């Protein structure tokens, strides 16, 4: 057994541990007050998952390659892959580009959009979230283009959506916090529901996590990515021979164990580098590399960029920090003209 390793208890919930690793960041929520006829065209939002809750009325969702879907009040819809999509008051309504529509920005994480022709009213709470952990990226890759839950099938979900609807109607003190935290939970709940019911959730990485042997090795890596793993030690975690473990791992996940280990470490390392200015030598040791040079080579092979290029920008000098910032166009009620951390 590797130094410091401990066997996983027989009752360990391997898939539950992976869900625990999901971290949602960069969340922003928009309350859209829409009156027919209206249509909003949302561009590609790479790396973002979007969440849609119709709180009043209804709308049509149109995603390329799929039939338009009617979204009624009391349901939850996820679009996991940041693909272009359109919302309309009816299937044939004209659309306007999202970032050409003015918004009232309440805070860095909450804004209100009012749009449409003055007819029948629809209200939508729309959120965008990003997963900042390798587990999230792996899981999201297996999700279908659209995940939809009907709240009437789940009393807890129904209650949560009613609370979101109430908070969205009148943003009281603390309401933004309630909305954003509830919406984060709803994303996880929707994924859990999909995991419980979808045949696709029994394939690939998720199937490997559910596997009684390979899943134990995966979880050991997830718990301690910086440990000095080898094919032998991973096979020992799984309780299998080296050859049988390597074959089963590759069959389930689609890549050999040691390549998976490298990719997992590099995903974690990139996230870590984006948030810290810790010396590269320390980052290398954190993720299982004895030398900074070896770590940099692995990072370059994985992402085709150097580790230093993903570092956060250094803090501004005192003279720059004292300079006044230009007023946000959002706060002036002007159309948005680019995609940044303020997403729909």
């Amino acid at each position: 057994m590797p130094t410091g390793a401990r066997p996983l208890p027989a009752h360990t919930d391997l898939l539950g541990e992976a869900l625990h690793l999901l971290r949602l960041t960069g969340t922003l929520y928009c309350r859209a007050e829409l009156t027919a006829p209206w249509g909003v065209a949302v561009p590609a939002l790479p790396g973002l998952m979007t969440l849609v809750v119709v709180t009043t009325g209804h709308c049509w969702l149109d995603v390329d390659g799929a039939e338009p879907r009617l979204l009624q009040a009391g349901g939850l819809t996820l679009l996991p892959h940041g693909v272009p999509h359109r919302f309309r008051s009816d299937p044939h309504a004209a659309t306007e580009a999202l970032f050409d529509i003015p918004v009232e920005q309440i805070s860095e994480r909450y804004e209100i959009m009012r749009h449409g022709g003055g007819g029948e009213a629809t209200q939508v709470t729309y959120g965008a979230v990003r997963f900042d952990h390798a587990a999230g990226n792996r899981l999201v890759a297996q999700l279908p283009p659209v995940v939809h839950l009907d709240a009437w099938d789940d009393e807890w979900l129904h209650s949560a959506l009613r609370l979101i609807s109430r908070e969205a109607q009148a943003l009281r003190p603390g309401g933004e916090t309630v909305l954003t935290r509830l919406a984060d939970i709803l994303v996880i709940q929707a994924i859990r529901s999909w995991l419980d019911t979808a045949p696709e959730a029994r394939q690939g990485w998720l199937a490997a996590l559910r596997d009684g042997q390979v899943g134990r090795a995966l979880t050991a890596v997830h718990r301690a990515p910086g440990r000095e793993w080898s094919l032998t030690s991973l096979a020992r975690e799984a309780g299998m021979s080296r050859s049988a473990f390597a074959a089963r791992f590759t069959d389930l996940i689609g890549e050999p164990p040691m390549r998976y280990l490298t990719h997992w470490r590099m995903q974690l390392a990139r996230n870590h580098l984006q948030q810290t200015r810790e010396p590269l030598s320390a980052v290398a040791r954190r993720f299982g590399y004895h030398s900074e040079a070896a770590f940099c080579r692995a990072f370059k092979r994985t992402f085709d960029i150097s580790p230093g290029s993903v570092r956060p920008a250094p803090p501004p000098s005192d003279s720059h920090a004292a300079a006044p910032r230009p007023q946000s166009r959002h706060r002036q009620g002007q159309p948005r003209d680019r995609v940044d951390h303020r997403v729909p």
Side-chain angles (χ1 to χ4, degrees), residues 132-134 137-138 259-274 283 287 289 294-311:
D132 72 348
H133 194 282
N137 296 331
R138 282 275 178 172
R259 185 184 302 167
Y260 176 91
L261 173 65
T262 298
H263 288 168
W264 186 265
R265 285 171 166 172
M266 292 302 103
Q267 290 284 349
L268 296 177
R270 181 170 64 175
N271 292 341
H272 185 72
L273 286 165
Q274 289 169 342
V283 176
F287 294 105
Y289 288 84
F295 169 76
C296 291
R297 287 194 298 270
F299 195 96
K300 176 76 172 178
R301 283 195 302 269
T302 302
F303 300 116
D304 201 30
I305 55 176
S306 68
S309 66
V310 302
R311 290 282 203 184

Side-chain angles (χ1 to χ4, degrees), residues 3-307:
T3 303
R6 58 182 177 85
L8 296 176
H11 65 273
T12 297
D13 177 6
L14 304 179
L15 188 55
E17 286 212 9
L19 284 174
H20 179 69
L21 292 173
L22 299 183
R23 300 286 187 271
L24 279 67
T25 61
T27 50
L28 179 116
Y29 296 98
C30 174
R31 186 180 85 203
E33 300 175 356
L34 307 159
T35 55
W38 60 269
V40 179
V42 182
L45 301 170
L48 294 177
M49 172 184 291
T50 53
L51 147 101
V52 184
V53 177
V54 180
T55 52
T56 302
H58 66 273
C59 69
W60 288 86
L61 168 64
D62 179 16
V63 180
D64 290 346
E67 290 294 320
R69 178 190 293 262
L70 178 62
L71 304 183
Q72 302 274 16
L76 168 66
T77 305
L78 296 184
L79 293 103
H81 307 299
V83 297
H85 53 281
R86 293 153 294 281
F87 294 102
R88 295 182 169 97
S89 54
D90 68 76
H92 306 293
T95 61
E96 186 167 350
L98 171 70
F99 294 111
D100 290 341
I101 302 173
V103 297
E104 176 187 357
Q105 189 176 333
I106 306 301
S107 73
E108 288 296 305
R109 297 186 66 190
Y110 193 82
E111 63 190 30
I112 298 174
M113 173 196 295
R114 298 177 178 90
H115 178 60
E120 183 181 5
T122 295
Q123 189 172 106
V124 176
T125 296
Y126 190 96
V129 301
R130 187 190 309 276
F131 289 107
D132 72 348
H133 194 282
N137 296 331
R138 282 275 178 172
L139 194 156
V140 170
Q142 287 195 233
L143 291 174
V146 178
V147 177
H148 181 77
L149 294 184
D150 188 343
W152 304 112
D153 296 334
D154 187 319
E155 182 58 33
W156 181 92
L157 179 60
H158 179 53
S159 299
L161 291 178
R162 281 191 303 176
L163 181 55
I164 279 186
S165 177
R166 187 160 61 244
E167 291 292 339
Q169 291 290 339
L171 195 60
R172 299 176 295 170
E176 177 196 346
T177 300
V178 172
L179 277 172
T180 55
R181 292 184 180 176
L182 263 177
D184 289 353
I185 293 170
L186 287 176
V187 170
I188 301 298
Q189 183 69 6
I191 291 173
R192 288 173 63 190
S193 178
W194 179 82
L195 289 170
D196 289 341
T197 58
E200 304 94 316
R202 302 295 192 275
Q203 302 170 5
W205 183 73
L206 293 169
L209 279 173
R210 297 176 192 270
D211 185 89
Q213 294 175 296
V214 172
R216 293 169 72 81
L218 279 174
T219 301
V221 167
H222 298 168
R223 285 180 171 182
R227 186 175 296 161
E228 197 167 332
W229 293 109
S230 66
L231 183 58
T232 299
S233 61
L234 288 173
R236 189 178 297 127
E237 291 283 346
M240 304 173 71
S241 70
R242 283 167 42 104
S243 58
F245 170 71
R248 183 159 182 76
F249 189 104
T250 304
D251 181 59
L252 286 171
I253 293 186
E255 62 181 336
M258 301 311 290
R259 185 184 302 167
Y260 176 91
L261 173 65
T262 298
H263 288 168
W264 186 265
R265 285 171 166 172
M266 292 302 103
Q267 290 284 349
L268 296 177
R270 181 170 64 175
N271 292 341
H272 185 72
L273 286 165
Q274 289 169 342
Q275 300 169 30
T276 179
R277 298 200 64 80
E278 184 178 34
L280 279 179
S281 57
V283 176
R285 290 192 299 272
R286 178 186 295 273
F287 294 105
Y289 288 84
H290 293 297
S291 74
E292 180 179 329
F295 169 76
C296 291
R297 287 194 298 270
F299 195 96
K300 176 76 172 178
R301 283 195 302 269
T302 302
F303 300 116
D304 201 30
I305 55 176
S306 68

